[in-house]
Amino acid sequence: MSLSIDLSIVVPIYNEAESLKILHGEIQAAAAPMGLSWELILVDDCSTDGSHRIALELRKNDPHLRIVRFSRNYGQTAALAAGFDQSRGDVVVTLDGDLQNDPADIPKMLKELERGFDVIAGWRKDRQDGFVLRRLPSMIANRMIAIVTGVAIHDTGCTLKAFRREVIERLPIYAEQHRFLPVMSQGSGARVTEMIVNHRPRLFGSSKYGIGRAWRVLLDLMAIKLISQFSQRPLRYFGFLSFLFMIFGGFFASVGLITTGAQAAAFENNWTVNTWQQTVISVTILIWMLMVFFAMLGLLAELVVHASGMHKRSALSRLMNEQS
Amino acid sequence: MFATEPNPKDNPSAGPVSSQWPPIGQTEVVGSLDVTVVVPVQSGDAEVRQVLQALGCELDREGRSWEMIFVFDGVQGPAWEKVEALRSEYGRKVRTIHFKNPFGESVCLSAAVEKALGRIIVTSPQYVQVDPIELGDMLDEIDRGADFVAPWRHPRVDPVLNRVQSVLFNFVIRMIIGMRFHDLNCYFRAIRREVLEEVVIYGDMYRFLPVIAFRRGYRVVEVKVRHLQEWGRAGFFGLGVYVRRLLDILAVMFLTKFTLKPLRFFGTLGGLVTLSGTMLTAYLTIEKLVYNEGIAGRPLLLIAVLLIVLGVQIIGFGLVGEIIIYSQARNLKEYRIERIWE
């Protein structure tokens, strides 16, 4: 974008009428003393409680404010994506609209970026939420993400994050939750770190999350692993799964061999088998079918990637230019 | 793929044309007219004159400038001659697009939108299905800010059996897609032009246009309209029709909800199948370990393993879906911005 500025702050809002004014004041207090050119992008996810009116009111007195309004409710991920798309800053900071993140952390994050990082993830070390419903599932999810992807971040769920512009432009943020952005960035070559941020209890409104997300996070994790680390060579991912099924099937076959014993080997009985042997044989075949199936899927994925032209010279040189 | 407004010199079978097209003038600008009525002609006995007169009168009465495009979906027959006659009568207000083979209503609509000059597209069936008076109200809704006006025939005049089936169909749609549309089977619709330029439809999507437009973030309004007559068969349709409807619903649900995250769909489905298989296996394991019953020859064991394998395969499809979306549609937007205040 030609009209480049230093800092974009992206805040998705959905029914945050009470906190909006305070939030705006705090962001102003944090951003103004830094002496940078900045903008605040409020992405209104089609709020129904008058947040929109308040935002327009605030905009009258603050030229830094830009408001993007969706035509219907699309969720936080889409709101963040829209904020990224509209942002013009060299650095983009995302922030929750419910005042639980502290805008005073923004200057600290910028300092951290200057030390040579591309992505800073906030870490709500002293988190002010219920333990069983919010913190425990979050801890489990974060551990799993760290183990599966190898990107060790304590708190992927914190909305307060800072990104360099180059990272965002390389990042395909389509359906993914914001929690995977650090993982995706690292997959595309960015240097990622985390920083302890302040977290405050919720003052207004209610939480917009539920525990039903666990399964979806798991599925997203599988997808992220695939596309962030294996999108150039999907056959390896599928080949690995295929290999797992081979081992698993082999395990079953050996169980069958051991339990039936040598004396009952089929060829000695004129190739008739008892029911237990039959079961072991069919289960083994089924599992080995999975092995073949996943290998075929992997080839199919290779075909898709090949046909997409992602390897074309233009696409590659774009990446290289941004990194040099 | 299709021939637009065929020149009778090229195509003598197209029938006699008494008046040639007027030369292209200043009015041939997109948006220069208020309304373009699109009528996909599906059979030779289409009541083109009645449709033209009914809707034309109403539009004239409302004081809106209009044109009507008849799209012949691979159809010959009396309707063609009738439209030729209308063309000489009404001049530029009547236009035709002619497909050599039937492509379906979706393609008819897309082709007509390419050629349409109106700011609002009204689609109509090939007979006067709904009281034309309603058109005024529908256009008023658009003026009031709606992007898409879907009709709801209420009360209906077709046979009870058809009505029951239609209600059932719409109920299933509501359950699966989670939207409150009462009557997707009526094609008398008023649509803002931008919607059709943005939303690409193909195949059997024509029926689901309100659903797709709604999912894409457009404001869809439903208005009750008076039902005049219904063509088409009474009673039960062939089995194939029901199967096709079911597949349509599945496709629309999948494409509107899971295009950007296929693994969420396949993963949930596969997860459920795998879970049921795992539960059966657990049950059998308990039987074996606790009650010491032989489970080797039991069909249940095979079913359990098959379910697990099936579930894992479904998840595998979801992974390929993710690769497809990642590599082919990286710039697909999942949101629609209403307005930006800079």
Side-chain angles (χ1 to χ4, degrees), chain A residues 86-274:
Chain A
Q86 297 299 324
S87 67
R88 299 186 279 222
D90 294 332
V91 173
V92 180
V93 176
T94 58
L95 199 67
D96 242 345
D98 58 7
L99 286 176
Q100 288 196 274
N101 294 136
D102 189 353
D105 286 317
I106 295 174
K108 290 184 225 160
M109 285 201 141
L110 293 185
K111 282 217 183 68
E112 196 75 9
L113 276 181
E114 275 163 23
R115 287 180 47 212
F117 291 105
D118 299 314
V119 177
I120 316 280
W123 174 13
R124 298 164 292 183
K125 199 171 184 183
D126 183 23
R127 196 171 162 185
Q128 307 288 321
D129 282 315
F131 181 76
V132 176
L133 279 180
R134 303 293 306 279
R135 273 156 61 199
L136 185 66
S138 166
M139 272 162 61
I140 296 170
N142 287 320
R143 281 305 298 158
M144 261 173 44
I145 292 171
I147 291 169
V148 173
T149 65
V151 180
I153 284 178
H154 288 91
D155 185 8
T156 52
C158 179
T159 315
L160 182 53
K161 292 189 179 91
F163 301 86
R164 272 188 201 285
R165 158 122 257 130
E166 308 90 83
V167 178
I168 289 170
E169 278 172 3
R170 243 179 289 155
L171 223 53
I173 324 160
Y174 51 110
E176 298 320 321
Q177 294 180 6
H178 63 278
R179 67 166 63 238
F180 291 112
L181 288 180
V183 176
M184 296 289 292
S185 321
Q186 184 141 328
S188 66
R191 265 169 305 175
V192 180
T193 188
E194 61 182 346
M195 191 187 105
I196 295 171
V197 297
N198 194 5
H199 194 244
R200 304 176 290 191
R202 182 171 262 281
L203 291 178
F204 307 106
S206 59
S207 169
K208 281 126 198 161
Y209 291 126
I211 196 169
R213 286 179 311 152
W215 173 243
R216 274 178 294 166
V217 169
L218 191 69
L219 289 177
D220 284 352
L221 183 59
M222 277 169 76
I224 288 290
K225 175 82 178 169
L226 174 63
I227 64 180
S228 73
Q229 290 168 15
F230 293 95
S231 65
Q232 302 293 312
R233 39 184 189 285
L235 187 56
R236 289 227 196 133
Y237 184 92
F238 287 95
F240 173 71
L241 293 176
S242 183
F243 183 69
L244 280 188
F245 290 121
M246 190 182 86
I247 304 243
F248 197 50
F251 167 74
F252 254 87
S254 48
V255 165
L257 281 179
I258 292 164
T259 49
T260 52
Q263 86 286 356
F267 56 83
E268 287 175 13
N269 294 331
N270 203 16
W271 294 106
T272 51
V273 291
N274 64 30

